[in-house]
């Protein structure tokens, strides 16, 4: 078996932050990319969050030596995972809530090793999108302004 010959869909997704202090593999299916324009994601990423996602149990942290979690004071039931060394945005998860939400984790798609084989499937919380940002009409969205 030749590992380098696998198509993106056959390859195990993997990724890391800019400095490599946080790296991961996904041992299971990942979803297509959603652009979250909510104000929290906008401020946290500095633009918007383009994220894929997987079952929490399928995410294997190869290295988490610099991984930290930010819990927003006004919404302590969610957490943003980032690298405290390079500042890279990596994960988002629900920490308290319905099992179907707690059991999944969002992964910032830009941290994936290319080719990802994914496409941008939808945009959400468009109401919160920054006014300078031209939204892509080809990407279905909700929360229209
Ligand atoms: Zn880093
Ligand atoms: Zn968001």
């Amino acid at each position: 078996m030749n590992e380098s010959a696998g198509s993106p869909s056959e390859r195990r997704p993997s990724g890391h932050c800019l400095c490599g202090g946080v790296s991961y593999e996904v041992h299971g299916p990942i979803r297509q990319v959603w652009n979250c324009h909510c104000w929290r994601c906008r401020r946290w990423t500095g633009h918007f969050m383009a994220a894929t996602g997987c079952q929490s149990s399928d995410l294997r942290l190869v290295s988490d030596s610099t991984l930290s979690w930010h819990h927003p004071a006004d919404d302590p039931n969610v957490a943003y995972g980032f690298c405290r060394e390079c500042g890279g945005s990596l994960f988002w998860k629900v920490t308290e809530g319905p099992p179907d939400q707690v059991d999944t984790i969002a992964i910032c798609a830009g941290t994936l090793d290319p080719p990802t084989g994914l496409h941008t499937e939808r945009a959400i919380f468009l109401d919160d999108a920054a006014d300078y940002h031209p939204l892509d009409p080809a990407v279905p969205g909700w929360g229209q302004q």
Side-chain angles (χ1 to χ4, degrees), residues 7-26:
S7 73
S9 59
E10 294 163 337
R11 217 164 36 83
R12 175 174 295 154
S14 59
H16 59 83
C17 65
L18 182 58
C19 76
V22 182
S23 59
Y24 62 85
E25 294 175 348
V26 180

Side-chain angles (χ1 to χ4, degrees), residues 43-74:
R43 291 196 181 275
W44 184 66
T45 61
H47 191 24
F48 64 89
M49 186 192 292
T52 178
C54 70
Q55 290 292 306
S56 303
S57 56
D58 287 341
L59 180 71
R60 310 278 169 82
L61 291 169
V62 179
S63 171
D64 64 354
S65 60
T66 57
L67 179 62
S68 286
W69 292 93
H70 172 66
H71 300 262
D74 60 350

Side-chain angles (χ1 to χ4, degrees), residues 35-42 48-49 80 92 124-125 128:
N35 292 343
C36 184
H37 295 274
C38 84
W39 63 269
R40 281 198 188 88
C41 289
R42 172 162 49 77
F48 64 89
M49 186 192 292
Y80 286 91
W92 179 90
I124 61 176
F125 292 104
D128 288 351

Side-chain angles (χ1 to χ4, degrees), residues 35 37 120-123 126 133-141 144:
N35 292 343
H37 295 274
T120 302
E121 186 177 63
R122 69 177 69 165
L126 294 179
H133 182 213
L135 296 165
D136 185 346
V139 177
Q144 196 65 53

